[in-house]
Amino acid sequence: MVNIKLQDTKAEPADSALGEINQLFHLQYAKRKQHFADKINQGHILLIVRMDSRLIACCGGRISEYTVNGPGYHRLKALSHSTMAVYYTLQQTPQADAAALLHHLLTQLKCEADNVVGQQLFTATQQLLNAVAYDGTIDHSLILEYSRKLEPVFAQLMLQSAMDETTQLLLYLDEIAEQFGKAAADTFFVVFGGPQARYRQLAKQVFEKWCQESADLLVDTSHHVRYYEHGTTVADAVNLMATALTDRELAQTFLGHADALEQDVLGLVAKQTIKRCWQRSKKRAQ
């Protein structure tokens, strides 16, 4: 496919002196943004980043790492993935090869049958594989029956996973608060995403509640807690927060509302504008 990239419009309009003015704005904006990035890097702000299996606390040169998702959490995640592995293997692998793969999977699941959830998962999977072997084919009704039996299993796996993560996050937030001693007003949270849009929403909600229950003055959680779907490094988190701080200051100064630049500025008048343009377009078409 053709590699089409975003165009740089900082110097537009290129055929006018306004292009130079536009460049000047972006240059000065970048300087102000660097000012806030420096404040973060110098330790004036405590930045807490939720990434992969860790929680990272950064305050200038002081950095602490905490493992949130330990072996127990990953075990629960692997158990839930095992059911989908069964489904895809039956759908996409020749029956003889699938039988061998899933027999091995079932043997491994049997080792996890030492608790109620593990037992339910093992039993449901074993019944499915027995039915497929008996019929000699994969009937959609068998998959539906399998998913129905797994509903309480998934409910328990999700609950246990959420409890595990929330417990760990609260434990480490207490440790971070004691270690760094920063006020909530000087603390910012960035939650990195993952392959799915729903990823890490639990951590974001924990951070928001933490801010809301802070003993400090009322903290605007929408400003202090940020979700970054494609973030991968602490530098990405610093860049995100420097942008947020710069935009907030600019919006308060020129638009009269601190979070006015949190959305498309033209979106503020979108409904009325679209209606007018739509009417004009219809008239021209008549």
Side-chain angles (χ1 to χ4, degrees):
M1 296 181 67
V2 178
N3 187 19
I4 301 176
K5 297 181 179 179
L6 287 172
Q7 294 180 340
D8 187 348
T9 61
K10 292 185 178 69
E12 296 293 342
D15 59 352
S16 165
L18 288 174
E20 295 182 18
I21 295 175
N22 199 16
Q23 280 185 299
L24 177 62
F25 158 70
H26 284 289
L27 174 64
Q28 297 301 328
Y29 176 89
K31 288 173 64 176
R32 190 59 179 167
K33 179 178 171 181
Q34 186 59 51
H35 162 77
F36 285 112
D38 291 342
K39 285 191 65 176
I40 298 171
N41 291 325
Q42 291 166 5
H44 298 289
I45 287 173
L46 171 61
L47 185 60
I48 299 175
V49 186
R50 179 72 176 93
M51 59 191 297
D52 48 58
S53 295
R54 297 169 295 168
L55 189 66
I56 314 293
C58 310
C59 192
R62 300 169 62 195
I63 300 177
S64 296
E65 295 188 17
Y66 308 86
T67 300
V68 176
N69 301 135
Y73 176 91
H74 288 296
R75 174 180 171 273
L76 295 170
K77 190 174 181 179
L79 282 172
S80 66
H81 284 174
S82 70
T83 62
M84 300 163 205
V86 170
Y87 169 71
Y88 280 129
T89 301
L90 289 174
Q91 290 287 336
Q92 302 174 161
T93 309
Q95 190 170 347
D97 296 334
L101 283 170
L102 295 178
H103 176 73
H104 179 63
L105 181 146
L106 197 61
T107 301
Q108 293 175 311
L109 278 180
K110 192 171 184 178
C111 298
E112 299 293 336
D114 58 346
N115 58 65
V116 175
V117 175
Q119 182 62 56
Q120 288 177 313
L121 183 55
F122 171 77
T123 301
T125 303
Q126 185 178 50
Q127 290 173 347
L128 170 65
L129 299 184
N130 288 343
V132 170
Y134 179 81
D135 291 352
T137 185
I138 306 168
D139 188 275
H140 186 59
S141 63
L142 295 177
I143 298 297
L144 290 178
E145 178 64 15
Y146 181 54
S147 66
R148 186 190 65 78
K149 291 178 180 178
L150 290 175
E151 287 177 4
V153 175
F154 279 126
Q156 280 299 311
L157 287 173
M158 287 189 290
L159 178 60
Q160 290 180 26
S161 298
M163 287 293 294
D164 181 84
E165 175 148 348
T166 303
T167 300
Q168 292 296 101
L169 285 173
L170 291 176
L171 171 67
Y172 294 139
L173 285 173
D174 284 340
E175 289 189 21
I176 291 169
E178 183 176 351
Q179 178 184 354
F180 292 94
K182 283 288 186 181
D186 296 321
T187 303
F188 291 83
F189 302 82
V190 177
V191 181
F192 284 168
Q196 300 86 24
R198 65 182 181 276
Y199 204 57
R200 298 296 180 219
Q201 284 298 323
L202 172 62
K204 184 172 183 289
Q205 292 179 48
V206 169
F207 295 153
E208 288 172 343
K209 189 168 181 60
W210 175 269
C211 288
Q212 290 164 359
E213 296 190 357
S214 167
D216 298 331
L217 295 175
L218 184 64
V219 173
D220 182 357
T221 58
S222 65
H223 179 50
H224 284 256
V225 182
R226 302 282 171 150
Y227 184 81
Y228 190 5
E229 184 67 28
H230 303 293
T232 58
T233 67
V234 170
D236 289 338
V238 172
N239 183 64
L240 177 71
M241 286 316 311
T243 301
L245 290 164
T246 307
D247 286 354
R248 190 175 184 83
E249 179 185 66
L250 195 60
Q252 184 66 65
T253 302
F254 285 97
L255 299 176
H257 201 287
D259 60 0
L261 290 178
E262 298 294 323
Q263 58 182 309
D264 180 358
V265 175
L266 297 183
L268 298 173
V269 295
K271 188 174 181 179
Q272 185 178 13
T273 305
I274 290 172
K275 183 178 179 180
R276 290 181 180 180
C277 291
W278 210 278
Q279 291 171 343
R280 292 174 184 173
S281 177
K282 292 294 184 182
K283 289 179 179 179
R284 285 197 300 267
Q286 291 175 355

